[in-house]
């Protein structure tokens, strides 16, 4: 995309072939920052004094064990007891897994609901990085605060960086709060045809 310029200290006007687009500078930067936090942040853990045994179905237990690295990046640490479960094969719930550390982040306390939410997400996409909704909300807030604000004058290189970042992420269409990052303005052929 070619950078045309900044409009109203909040938007970047770009051109791709004969199409003009308007890019929201804050929403675009927020989406990129959010995606970077999602990919790279490892949440700190607080070790529990007493490990908490989790009663899980065999399926959920298997999902959890296969995805321990993803849980660890989210701040959850588990102890796996290889001897428990063999005699419990006829039971629907196993106690092979014990929670030994939970994520901590300022005023947010995470727990069993977050583990269950992650297990649900990992059912269809095992070994894929996922975050509980409360972690996503925390990242969205952080991304918003560190992003370029409306009203800030941008240099041409600043605009280029923001537009290039859009091309580096999978789903650049909306910020984490739902605001569109870009809209199509007009195809210039329509203007030329009317003259």
């Amino acid at each position: 995309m070619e950078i045309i310029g900044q409009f109203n200290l909040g938007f970047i006007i770009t051109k791709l072939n004969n199409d003009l687009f308007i890019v929201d500078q804050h929403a675009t930067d927020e989406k990129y920052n959010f995606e970077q936090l999602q990919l790279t942040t490892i949440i700190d853990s607080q070790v529990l004094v007493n490990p908490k045994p989790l009663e899980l179905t065999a399926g959920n237990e298997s999902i959890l064990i296969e995805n321990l690295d993803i849980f660890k990046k989210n701040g959850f640490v588990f102890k796996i007891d290889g001897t428990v479960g063999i005699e419990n094969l006829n039971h629907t719930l196993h106690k092979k897994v014990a929670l030994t550390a939970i994520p901590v982040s300022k005023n947010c306390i995470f727990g069993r609901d977050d583990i269950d939410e992650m297990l649900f997400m990992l059912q269809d996409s095992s070994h894929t990085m996922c975050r509980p909704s409360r972690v996503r909300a925390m990242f969205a807030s952080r991304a918003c605060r560190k992003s370029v604000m409306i009203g800030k004058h941008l240099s041409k290189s600043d605009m280029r960086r923001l537009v290039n970042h859009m091309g580096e992420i999978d789903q650049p269409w909306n910020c984490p709060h739902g605001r569109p990052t870009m809209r199509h303005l007009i195809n210039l052929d329509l203007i030329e045809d009317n003259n």
Side-chain angles (χ1 to χ4, degrees), residues 35-46 64 66-78 99 101-105 110 114-115 118 122 127-132 135-136 138-139 142:
E35 292 298 329
Q36 291 307 302
L37 286 170
Q38 290 267 88
L39 286 173
T40 61
T41 302
I42 297 173
I43 300 173
D44 291 332
S45 298
Q46 178 176 331
L64 188 142
E66 289 175 16
N67 294 282
L68 283 174
D69 58 327
I70 292 171
F71 280 96
K72 184 156 180 70
K73 287 180 181 173
N74 281 291
F76 292 102
V77 181
F78 302 95
L99 180 63
I102 57 171
V104 291
S105 181
F110 299 93
D114 302 296
I115 294 169
M118 287 182 64
L122 289 165
H127 304 289
T128 303
M129 187 59 191
C130 67
R131 302 285 189 176
V135 170
R136 288 178 54 85
M138 180 179 68
F139 286 166
R142 287 181 187 174

Side-chain angles (χ1 to χ4, degrees), residues 1-3 12 14-16 23-25 28-29 31-33 36 154-170 172 182:
M1 286 186 152
E2 178 187 342
I3 305 293
I12 303 166
T14 63
K15 181 180 173 201
L16 180 63
V23 177
D24 182 318
Q25 67 191 38
T28 297
D29 198 27
K31 177 62 174 183
Y32 178 78
N33 290 331
Q36 291 307 302
L154 299 177
S155 67
K156 197 92 160 179
S157 63
D158 291 335
M159 289 184 262
R160 176 86 270 152
R161 178 182 50 81
L162 292 175
V163 171
N164 286 350
H165 281 169
M166 284 182 70
E168 296 171 14
I169 54 180
D170 240 4
M182 176 175 63

